Amino acid sequence: SLEHAQELTRSLNLEFESSTGVLVLSRSAADTQRMHGALAVLERLGVAHRRLAGDECLGVEPGLNPQALPDAAVHLPQEGTANCREFTHLMRQHAERLGVRFVFHTQVTAISTGERPVLTLRSTAPQATKAGSVHETAAADERPAFDAIAVCGGLGSLPLLAAGGLKLPMVGVQGHSVTLPLRLDDITAQSIGPRSAAVDAGARISITRSGSRVRVATVSRLGRQTSTDNRASVQPLYRALDHWFPGCARASQSKHWSGRCPALPDGLPLIGASGIPGVWLNLGHGDTGWAMACGSARVLADAITQRTPGIDVEGLGVERLRR
């Protein structure tokens, strides 16, 4: 995925907010011990990384709290972070230039399978009345046919696939984030806070710079989130930011997001043929959807066009759920 994202960025001259390097922080000796297994995997796969003592982390992230340095850390210099929303909008513009048509304010209500699968589409666009009010009206259904249909609608895909006989054990993993504007240093007039991305390994909280903003995010639990416990869910995010980068952002101007990431029991996505004629899958990436987006799209495109994929895709198909 990283390789294809970089290839697209270069070939299309995409400009979007991004930064290089990820610093994984361990608060305690116990957390450091638990990281040893992950380090062994990185070494086996040849992923560039560097182990750091607590005080060495300031060379990578000078904005870290010097009074709360980690027990240890791992620096991943070739990894990084980017504004996926900006990237997606730029990709949409290039796709439209190639003739791709995007349809918004439209609900897919059914999939009719076969050699030329058909979608039943219903417009949900708001319509203005003579009195000036706005309401939703259901227009007549459209039924366009396609060579192939790729289902990648997250949890909304479940009823469409179930109607075709495919019931998936996919559930929503609740995620939260807060995005805050960074403060400026009174002397240098430069933003303070993280240069790139820092991950609190024990708490599984990421702190990511995005231009002049910082985003703090975590995945909390399975199931739906009720509005009554949103405050409790985001407090660990503020505490982590204050622990590692105290005073770097304006909490009074924060924006909160919550949503559900579709995930499967084994933590792997479903990419490839669904077993339903004409229908393909790109689902269940959990909280790593952006990280795996470009690679997943390449694998799916290769599968649909019957090209040999660039990686071993065994274990990514729906057949593993039928064993």
Side-chain angles (χ1 to χ4, degrees):
S1 287
L2 177 61
E3 179 182 315
H4 283 291
Q6 292 172 338
E7 177 186 333
L8 288 167
T9 301
R10 287 192 302 267
S11 63
L12 300 178
N13 296 315
L14 304 181
E15 293 186 10
F16 53 96
E17 292 175 346
S18 61
S19 57
T20 303
V22 174
L23 188 63
V24 183
L25 304 164
S26 170
R27 292 199 188 205
S28 66
D31 284 343
T32 302
Q33 182 66 30
R34 283 191 286 268
M35 289 170 61
H36 287 171
L39 287 170
V41 173
L42 293 178
E43 291 172 0
R44 187 171 70 249
L45 297 177
V47 176
H49 66 283
R50 187 162 56 107
R51 304 186 192 199
L52 302 176
D55 57 354
E56 293 178 310
C57 295
L58 292 171
V60 177
E61 286 288 359
L64 276 173
N65 184 359
Q67 306 303 317
L69 292 176
D71 177 74
V74 177
H75 184 225
L76 305 167
Q78 295 179 2
E79 307 304 317
T81 182
N83 188 323
C84 57
R85 186 175 187 272
E86 283 188 345
F87 180 88
T88 304
H89 278 295
L90 292 171
M91 290 300 297
R92 175 190 167 190
Q93 292 171 12
H94 282 281
E96 287 177 326
R97 294 189 188 108
L98 294 173
V100 175
R101 184 170 70 97
F102 290 85
V103 180
F104 299 99
H105 301 293
T106 301
Q107 181 183 6
V108 178
T109 60
I111 300 175
S112 301
T113 63
E115 186 175 336
R116 288 274 292 168
V118 173
L119 292 181
T120 302
L121 307 177
R122 183 168 299 167
S123 173
T124 59
Q127 303 290 327
T129 65
K130 291 182 179 180
S133 61
V134 175
H135 67 287
E136 286 190 357
T137 57
D141 290 345
E142 293 184 54
R143 291 176 54 81
F146 300 90
D147 296 323
I149 291 172
V151 179
C152 47
L155 295 171
S157 307
L158 292 175
L160 293 172
L161 294 170
L166 179 59
K167 296 183 179 180
L168 299 177
M170 190 164 64
V171 298
V173 180
Q174 189 71 29
H176 290 274
S177 73
V178 289
T179 303
L180 311 87
L182 288 164
R183 295 181 186 275
L184 293 179
D185 185 277
D186 293 335
I187 298 175
T188 65
Q190 298 293 316
S191 296
I192 56 178
R195 285 180 172 177
S196 183
V199 178
D200 187 323
R204 295 191 65 191
I205 292 174
S206 63
I207 303 172
T208 305
R209 189 189 189 100
S210 182
S212 60
R213 303 175 304 283
V214 62
R215 182 175 182 268
V216 192
T218 189
V219 173
S220 59
R221 67 185 190 205
L222 295 173
R224 288 185 176 274
Q225 185 79 22
T226 63
S227 58
T228 57
D229 59 5
N230 276 349
R231 184 182 298 274
S233 297
V234 300
Q235 285 310 306
L237 304 181
Y238 290 109
R239 289 196 295 268
L241 182 63
D242 188 58
H243 177 85
W244 296 114
F245 300 95
C248 76
R250 301 183 183 278
S252 62
Q253 300 175 35
S254 66
K255 294 182 179 180
H256 172 224
W257 172 89
S258 65
R260 293 191 298 159
C261 306
L264 290 148
D266 58 8
L268 295 174
L270 280 175
I271 307 173
S274 68
I276 302 172
V279 178
W280 302 78
L281 304 176
N282 191 4
L283 293 166
H285 296 75
D287 60 344
T288 58
W290 160 233
M292 290 198 283
C294 293
S296 299
R298 179 74 272 166
V299 167
L300 183 62
D302 288 341
I304 293 175
T305 55
Q306 298 183 353
R307 293 193 296 260
T308 301
I311 63 169
D312 181 1
V313 297
E314 184 178 358
L316 295 179
V318 73
E319 62 279 354
R320 75 178 191 267
L321 301 177
R322 295 173 174 153
R323 292 172 183 170

